[in-house]
Amino acid sequence: MVLKKESRKHFWPIITIMMFVGVITCLASIGILYKSAVEAEQSRLVSLVSSKARLINAVAEFDSQYSRVDHPEGAAGATLSQLRDSFRDKIGFGQTGEFVVGRLSGRNIEFLMSSRQLEQVPIPIPLNETAAEPMRRALNNESGAIIGPDYLNREVIAAYQLVPHLGIGLVAKIDMTEVQQPFIDASINALIIALLIIVMGTLLISQIEEEEHSSSEAFALKSGVGPKEWLVYRILLLATVSVAVMMTSIGLLYYSEREAENQRMLDMVVTQASLINAVAEFDAQYNEDDFPGGSKKATLEQVSKAMQESPGFGQSGEFLLGSFSDYNIVFLTQPRHSDHPIPDFHVVDKHSNAMKQALAGRTGTLVDLDYRHIDVLAAFTPIPALESGLVAKIDIPEIRNPFIQASFNTSAVAAVAICFGALLLWHLSQYQKEEDIHDISQPISRGLAMVDEAKISPVLLIFTISLGTALFVLDLALPLGIACGLPYIFFVLVGKIYPRRQHTLLLAFIATILIFIGYYYSPEGGQDWVVITNRILAVAAIWLTALTVSVSQAQNRSQKVQASELRRLSLAVENSPASVIITDPYGIIQYVNQRYTELTGYSREESVGRKSNMTRSGNTPDPVYSDLWESLNSGKTWQGEFHNKKKSGELYWESASIHPILSAKGKIVNFVALQEDITERKVSELKLQYMATHDNLTNLPTRRLCMDRLAKIIDLAKRKQHQAAVLFIDLDGFKEVNDCFGHDSGDQVLIDTATRLKTCVRESDTVARIGGDEFIILLNEINEPQDAGLVAKKILESIKQPYRIEQKEISIGVSIGIALYPIDAVNPEKLIQNADKAMYSVKTKGKNNFTFAE
């Protein structure tokens, strides 16, 4: 589990950085395009409402001259009647776009036409309310575009203008949600694409990450790819994510915008044609005899006047009105982009197909060559009342340019995001011990270099050149190229056969160059924007393939070196001076080396398949084993010592270092134990430790050990609410023994005294010699003071028995002072002091007795 957590510690930051770069690129591209789209929508609506207002104003001026008497409602009523007729089918634009007509009525805004949204005329709105802000501005003789509330208080993009001759306001509006929805969809799709690419890339990296952080040596052996190269691959993956997200978001929005623009153009031409047709029908009813040239001439004059005053829409958009004359098409209005009328042309000419379709009675859109022989998006519809056709057209570059500009701007943002992500990746790599990995992988690198020294086969070289040439020729010959360059992936896959990984990357680079050369030199067969987008995505796919192949090559070739390294490692382990044991997760032995069999006496056949605790002697404390398994089960290495037993029954000490071996998923699969015989060192250490705490003559604990034990006795007595006692003992007449019988006899008396004292106490009590002829006895867990007195009596009785040394009888006495815990003191030093004072009290009162401290 530790490996898994450690791997995630480094792995998730990489995912986070990739997601960060992808999200930043997506938000940048969507944000830039959204801003451009809102501005373009405002400009388009301004042009649309301006052309509509000018046409209405031209009709109103005409009606004021010719219809103020003929129509029952007068000139203004005549114009409004024509407007209502044009809006009777509630024709708008897009899904929510519509024209709104209103005027002032007292302190209210009165709407004159049925609403597309409400299926009825909206109710009047007071001027002091926030709703219908665009109409309020139009009636205030302002013109322009805003994002604000409509008559339903919904947020819309609206253009507004006053029709001065009628004193009415005209608003063209569209809901913000309709404008925003394509960007929301594109954002979701772009992020899904980014996520898929990140998943593909991280699936490749994840295994490497876990191997890299589980063991530097294992990483070097398995991957064959240095840390710096991995850093480059991760940065390439970042760039791929950024390009894919950018091209996906821009491409989706471009396709969406093209479809929306087709619909908008169609709606625009239909609404304009509806108004012109309504005017023509009105003129046919009321102005056939009033206007010189008839009603059609009257309508054409009004339309021509409006189109002369209005430049069109957008930077290049314009309306064109045309009709048939014999086998020629005649344009009835002045073009925006020329100071001269458009020449008549024969119906078989290859341009102005939109006008031909309109005059044939059809309605729709198409990409066409206009009278300037420039590609345009054109919408067309017939005007039956005039026996003519109306075309609304806009140059293709005007639709495309915002996306091209957004691509440049987004590329700059993406480049900054990639640089920032690369900096974070480089910073992250500093914590991954690159130098250690490099040092360990030096023999691997040397081995891989030897593998890579193989020469390239001439047959392989000829095959590669032939395949690349064939793909390139097909790419040039086919109108749309060879599947937008994707088959070049097979060209890159050939690199897997080459002896060096660098050849794969070189082939990817060559394929990238050929893809773009093929784009520039292949015959035209589709929209440039579509083709270049697909080819950029193909390049991203090619480099992902190259990365995968390169890593696969590195791993395959490193396996050869790995096998050699493992053979060397096996020999080193087998001949190691330390015992090596490998077990499964349950402690069953799977391998032991020669040194283990020599140390324990168990052969390899006797050991494999048995539990590793078969050498357990029972002398190692249980807490040692508890600590061992706690460490190993948590994935940590354990180091410590065991007191084990050989097959012969001989005890020995060993120092052990046990390492868990983890899988890539962090699961323990093996344990490896390295053991060293430390019996001689341990015996020496124990001997030195015993000598430091025990008297050389009597083998009794010294004062230092006595004080340590007394402290523990006091702690135990405090916890269990028991009493304890200290007996301070001094031999009476011992000096005379040394003077009369010599020091050897005196030493023997001390040895015998130590033996007699130990027979007077329990095994849990302590007898210590603190110097000369002075002893201390520590009594643990006594119930009452009389228990200490009984022990003292035993000692008096035992010591008064004659000592037989070298056929001589020697008699001595003993003075004993007793101090009780907690009655006389609660700390070790004070207890011994009080017992010492009590002993001297016995000395002054005649010796050979005991007394309690006062």
Side-chain angles (χ1 to χ4, degrees):
M1 294 302 294
V2 169
L3 170 64
K4 193 172 183 180
K5 291 179 181 178
E6 183 66 19
S7 175
R8 286 178 175 176
K9 177 181 177 183
H10 296 279
F11 179 63
W12 286 114
I14 295 175
I15 303 297
T16 303
I17 292 170
M18 291 182 184
M19 286 300 297
F20 168 78
V21 171
V23 169
I24 289 296
T25 305
C26 179
L27 292 178
S29 57
I30 299 294
I32 292 170
L33 285 171
Y34 178 71
K35 182 176 181 296
S36 175
V38 170
E39 293 174 352
E41 188 69 27
Q42 288 179 321
S43 175
R44 187 184 67 84
L45 289 176
V46 167
S47 300
L48 186 59
V49 81
S50 176
S51 62
K52 196 85 167 178
R54 290 179 186 277
L55 179 57
I56 295 172
N57 202 64
V59 172
E61 290 178 353
F62 183 89
D63 288 340
S64 67
Q65 182 177 355
Y66 293 99
S67 302
R68 63 178 180 271
V69 176
D70 297 341
H71 197 275
E73 297 180 15
T79 305
L80 290 176
S81 173
Q82 296 169 67
L83 270 178
R84 291 189 185 95
D85 288 343
S86 69
F87 288 156
R88 63 178 174 265
D89 295 325
K90 302 179 181 62
I91 298 171
F93 47 92
Q95 297 176 358
T96 61
E98 64 177 335
F99 291 99
V100 181
V101 180
R103 66 185 174 189
L104 288 176
S105 177
R107 299 296 299 171
N108 294 327
I109 297 175
E110 179 186 5
F111 297 97
L112 304 177
M113 306 292 172
S114 280
S115 163
R116 181 185 186 187
Q117 309 292 331
L118 300 177
E119 302 282 339
Q120 63 183 14
V121 178
I123 62 174
I125 295 176
L127 279 172
N128 57 358
E129 289 190 6
T130 58
E133 177 61 24
M135 182 60 73
R136 184 178 294 104
R137 295 192 179 195
L139 295 174
N140 198 33
N141 199 19
E142 299 179 27
S143 62
I146 62 166
I147 297 175
D150 67 352
Y151 54 83
L152 295 176
N153 245 333
R154 291 183 301 194
E155 188 177 40
V156 296
I157 299 179
Y160 49 89
Q161 185 169 327
L162 182 70
V163 181
H165 207 84
L166 293 177
I168 63 173
L170 180 65
V171 172
K173 70 179 185 68
I174 187 170
D175 287 1
M176 279 297 294
T177 54
E178 183 176 348
V179 177
Q180 293 168 346
Q181 191 58 47
F183 294 89
I184 296 173
D185 295 341
S187 299
I188 294 173
N189 291 328
L191 289 177
I192 290 174
I193 294 294
L195 184 61
L196 290 175
I197 294 175
I198 290 171
V199 168
M200 288 189 294
T202 51
L203 284 176
L204 183 65
I205 292 177
S206 61
Q207 184 67 27
I208 302 300
E209 287 295 316
E210 292 189 353
E211 293 170 356
E212 178 179 3
H213 295 292
S214 63
S215 167
S216 295
E217 185 174 0
F219 170 67
L221 283 170
K222 292 182 181 179
S223 71
V225 180
K228 292 182 179 178
E229 187 173 348
W230 272 114
L231 179 60
V232 172
Y233 286 162
R234 289 166 186 161
I235 293 173
L236 283 176
L237 188 57
L238 281 182
T240 301
V241 169
S242 298
V243 170
V245 168
M246 180 178 68
M247 298 309 300
T248 300
S249 57
I250 293 176
L252 289 173
L253 286 173
Y254 179 74
Y255 301 145
S256 174
E257 179 63 20
R258 281 296 299 271
E259 293 177 2
E261 187 67 25
N262 283 349
Q263 188 61 45
R264 285 196 295 262
M265 293 287 291
L266 185 60
D267 294 338
M268 186 188 306
V269 78
V270 169
T271 56
Q272 197 78 339
S274 176
L275 178 57
I276 295 173
N277 199 68
V279 172
E281 290 176 349
F282 180 88
D283 289 339
Q285 181 178 356
Y286 291 100
N287 298 319
E288 179 66 33
D289 300 325
D290 295 342
F291 189 81
S295 61
K296 290 184 180 180
K297 186 71 173 178
T299 303
L300 287 175
E301 181 173 317
Q302 298 170 66
V303 173
S304 298
K305 181 179 180 182
M307 289 187 178
Q308 287 173 2
E309 294 176 353
S310 176
F313 52 92
Q315 297 176 359
S316 61
E318 62 178 329
F319 290 99
L320 294 174
L321 191 65
S323 65
F324 275 126
S325 177
D326 296 329
Y327 291 100
N328 293 327
I329 292 178
V330 179
F331 287 92
L332 305 176
T333 54
Q334 182 69 25
R336 176 182 184 181
H337 302 290
S338 175
D339 295 332
H340 305 285
I342 302 173
D344 299 348
F345 65 91
H346 199 273
V347 292
V348 298
D349 288 349
K350 293 184 178 181
H351 63 85
S352 298
N353 291 314
M355 184 61 75
K356 297 174 188 176
Q357 295 292 326
L359 294 174
R362 299 186 183 96
T363 299
T365 61
L366 54 78
V367 176
D368 190 17
L369 288 175
D370 70 351
Y371 58 88
R372 299 167 297 159
H373 295 276
I374 293 177
D375 283 335
V376 295
L377 175 63
F380 50 87
T381 192
I383 302 178
L386 290 180
E387 297 180 347
S388 61
L390 182 66
V391 172
K393 67 179 185 66
I394 189 171
D395 290 357
I396 290 293
E398 183 175 347
I399 301 174
R400 185 184 302 160
N401 285 341
F403 293 89
I404 295 175
Q405 185 61 44
S407 299
F408 287 119
N409 295 338
T410 306
S411 298
V413 175
V416 173
I418 291 170
C419 291
F420 183 68
L423 184 62
L424 290 178
L425 285 175
W426 176 83
H427 184 68
L428 180 65
S429 68
Q430 302 308 302
Y431 296 98
Q432 299 180 11
K433 301 180 181 178
E434 291 185 14
E435 294 301 324
D436 292 340
I437 294 176
H438 176 73
D439 293 337
I440 292 173
S441 62
Q442 280 183 354
I444 313 300
S445 300
R446 287 195 296 269
L448 287 175
M450 294 172 62
V451 174
D452 285 348
E453 285 176 0
K455 294 182 179 179
I456 301 174
S457 166
V459 176
L460 176 61
L461 190 60
I462 293 171
F463 171 77
T464 304
I465 295 174
S466 301
L467 177 62
T469 303
L471 291 173
F472 184 64
V473 170
L474 285 173
D475 203 17
L476 292 178
L478 297 177
L480 286 176
I482 179 168
C484 298
L486 279 177
Y488 281 108
I489 289 177
F490 297 105
F491 181 68
V492 174
L493 287 174
V494 174
K496 192 172 179 62
I497 310 173
Y498 277 75
R500 294 177 66 93
R501 292 184 296 111
Q502 289 81 351
H503 294 139
T504 301
L505 302 179
L506 177 61
L507 291 177
F509 179 75
I510 293 173
T512 302
I513 298 298
L514 293 178
I515 280 179
F516 287 108
I517 293 177
Y519 164 73
Y520 284 110
Y521 288 99
S522 61
E524 295 182 0
Q527 299 176 19
D528 286 347
W529 182 260
V530 176
V531 176
I532 190 64
T533 300
N534 288 335
R535 285 183 179 264
I536 290 174
L537 293 175
V539 169
I542 283 172
W543 279 100
L544 276 177
T545 303
L547 171 62
T548 305
V549 171
S550 178
V551 172
S552 175
Q553 286 177 301
Q555 292 177 335
N556 290 338
R557 288 164 189 164
S558 66
Q559 287 176 359
K560 299 178 182 179
V561 181
Q562 181 184 0
S564 175
E565 293 295 322
L566 286 176
R567 284 193 294 271
R568 297 179 191 175
L569 179 62
S570 177
L571 289 173
V573 169
E574 186 63 27
N575 296 285
S576 171
S579 298
V580 179
I581 309 167
I582 300 177
T583 73
D584 67 8
Y586 306 103
I588 304 299
I589 297 176
Q590 295 179 334
Y591 169 83
V592 294
N593 70 343
Q594 183 62 31
R595 175 57 182 158
Y596 176 85
T597 63
E598 294 172 355
L599 176 62
T600 64
Y602 291 100
S603 67
R604 188 168 296 173
E605 291 74 16
E606 292 174 316
S607 302
V608 173
R610 296 181 63 181
K611 295 281 285 185
S612 58
N613 63 359
M614 66 181 184
T615 58
R616 192 168 178 175
S617 67
N619 294 336
T620 304
D622 289 338
V624 173
Y625 292 105
S626 299
D627 178 63
L628 180 151
W629 286 110
E630 182 180 353
S631 297
L632 294 181
N633 287 333
S634 63
K636 299 177 182 177
T637 296
W638 181 87
Q639 291 181 327
E641 296 177 351
F642 296 119
H643 196 194
N644 284 344
K645 182 172 64 176
K646 298 181 180 180
K647 181 180 180 181
S648 62
E650 178 186 352
L651 297 177
Y652 70 99
W653 284 91
E654 66 179 4
S655 173
S657 177
I658 305 178
H659 307 265
I661 305 301
L662 306 178
S663 68
K665 296 182 178 180
K667 184 179 179 181
I668 297 174
V669 293
N670 289 103
F671 295 113
V672 175
L674 305 177
Q675 299 175 340
E676 182 182 359
D677 184 5
I678 59 169
T679 303
E680 292 184 4
R681 174 169 64 82
K682 197 67 179 178
V683 168
S684 298
E685 290 177 357
L686 292 175
K687 185 175 180 180
L688 291 173
Q689 183 180 358
Y690 186 85
M691 291 173 62
T693 58
H694 288 76
D695 178 47
N696 292 335
L697 180 63
T698 62
N699 287 327
L700 294 177
T702 60
R703 186 182 190 91
R704 177 183 173 186
L705 183 56
C706 175
M707 294 297 292
D708 182 63
R709 290 186 179 179
L710 179 55
K712 293 178 180 178
I713 288 172
I714 291 174
D715 289 340
L716 182 62
K718 185 185 298 183
R719 289 198 305 273
K720 295 188 175 183
Q721 299 295 312
H722 287 154
Q723 297 184 42
V726 175
L727 280 63
F728 201 105
I729 302 170
D730 186 84
L731 300 182
D732 298 331
F734 181 72
K735 184 176 182 302
E736 288 76 7
V737 173
N738 278 334
D739 292 342
C740 297
F741 300 101
H743 288 284
D744 290 341
S745 296
D747 289 344
Q748 189 60 48
V749 168
L750 291 174
I751 293 171
D752 290 349
T753 299
T755 303
R756 294 185 186 189
L757 291 176
K758 287 192 286 186
T759 61
C760 296
V761 298
R762 300 164 298 184
E763 288 188 5
S764 61
D765 300 326
T766 297
V767 178
R769 181 187 176 203
I770 62 173
D773 58 351
E774 292 180 334
F775 297 85
I776 286 180
I777 292 179
L778 306 178
L779 299 180
N780 184 30
E781 296 188 24
I782 63 173
N783 296 320
E784 53 188 15
Q786 288 78 1
D787 293 342
L790 291 175
V791 173
K793 289 178 181 180
K794 276 187 182 183
I795 294 172
L796 290 171
E797 186 64 30
S798 177
I799 297 300
K800 80 176 183 179
Q801 301 299 322
Y803 289 79
R804 186 169 294 278
I805 299 173
E806 295 182 0
Q807 298 181 353
K808 301 172 185 175
E809 284 192 359
I810 300 175
S811 296
I812 59 174
V814 63
S815 297
I816 305 173
I818 304 174
L820 299 173
Y821 170 86
I823 298 173
D824 299 317
V826 293
N827 64 73
E829 292 80 7
K830 194 66 176 174
L831 276 173
I832 290 178
Q833 287 178 10
N834 290 339
D836 189 18
K837 289 179 181 179
M839 184 273 294
Y840 276 108
S841 175
V842 173
K843 289 279 189 183
T844 60
K845 293 178 181 180
K847 302 181 180 180
N848 201 33
N849 204 346
F850 74 91
T851 187
F852 288 90
E854 296 180 358

